[in-house]
Amino acid sequence: RRDADEFAIAEEEARLAAEAEAADAAAGSGATSRLPEVLRVHVKGRRKGEPSRTVTVRIDASGCAQPRYLGGFRDRRDGTVYHHASNQTIPTKPRVWKTKFTTETQTMQGRSRQAQTKAEASTQMARKDLVMDESKDVLVWTGKYMTHAEIMEIKERHTVTLQKYVRGMRARRLANVLRVRRDDAVKRAEEDEIKRAE
C-alpha cells in the first residue's frame, strides 16, 4: 500500500514538473519561435556532373503543441523525463552477453532412428491423347533387393580385401628394405675379410 502511495506521489510530481516546463516554454519564447520560419536545403544532382541546387522550405509551426502528459517519471541520474511507455527512449548502454561455460549449454542431445525405405521407382505409360518420344528410351531392370545387413557384409568383405593388398604391399616394401640392408652387410663383411687377408 505504501509503495502505491509513493508511486502516485512521484507520478503527480512528474506531471506537475512537466506542466511547469510546458508553461515556461510557452511563456518564454512561444511555441512557434523555436523553429525557424525558413530552411535552406542543399540538394545534390541526381546524375554525375549535374550541379547542386538550394531549395527554400517554409515551416508552418502553428499546429505544434506540447505533447500531452500520459504519465511516467523523471530519471534522477540524468534528468530524462520518461512520459509514457509508448514513447520511451532507447537505452544507450548496449546489453553485454556473457558466454556460459556449463554442461547444459555444451551438451547436445541427439537421437538416432533407422528407416528401411523401398528403392525409388517410376513408371511411364502412354495414353491415347499423349505422344511420347521413345527413340532415346533405355530399358533398366532392377537388381536383387538387398537389406542393410547384406550391404554391410559386402562392404566388410571389400574392406578386408583392400586391407590384405595394403598389408601385402607394406610387407613387400619392408622385405625389400631388409634385403638391401642384408646384402650391404654381407658385401661389407666380404670386403673386410678381403682387406684382412691382404
Side-chain angles (χ1 to χ4, degrees), residues 117-161:
T117 59
K118 296 181 179 180
E120 295 178 0
S122 63
T123 57
Q124 197 171 17
M125 300 179 67
R127 300 187 319 216
K128 294 178 183 179
D129 59 339
L130 177 65
V131 177
M132 294 191 314
D133 183 21
E134 299 178 357
S135 61
K136 296 182 181 179
D137 285 359
V138 178
L139 295 176
V140 179
W141 285 272
T142 59
K144 178 188 169 190
Y145 179 78
M146 300 171 69
T147 63
H148 180 264
E150 292 172 343
I151 292 172
M152 293 309 292
E153 184 182 335
I154 292 170
K155 286 184 178 180
E156 186 178 350
R157 191 167 63 241
H158 291 319
T159 304
V160 170
T161 304

Side-chain angles (χ1 to χ4, degrees), residues 58-110:
R58 295 189 184 279
I59 298 175
D60 179 19
S62 61
C64 295
Q66 186 74 16
R68 188 167 61 92
Y69 183 76
L70 301 172
F73 68 97
R74 181 190 301 272
D75 194 348
R76 291 180 184 173
R77 294 171 294 183
D78 56 0
T80 306
V81 177
Y82 294 92
H83 292 289
H84 195 261
S86 64
N87 53 8
Q88 293 287 333
T89 57
I90 300 171
T92 55
K93 189 175 180 182
R95 190 171 180 185
V96 179
W97 295 95
K98 294 182 180 178
T99 307
K100 294 183 180 180
F101 297 103
T102 61
T103 34
E104 287 82 11
T105 57
Q106 295 175 2
T107 307
M108 184 184 72
Q109 294 181 354

Side-chain angles (χ1 to χ4, degrees), residues 35-54:
L35 295 173
E37 293 182 7
V38 175
L39 280 179
R40 293 178 184 260
V41 181
H42 297 284
V43 181
K44 292 183 179 178
R46 289 185 181 177
R47 296 187 184 93
K48 189 176 180 181
E50 190 174 321
S52 62
R53 53 195 176 127
T54 304

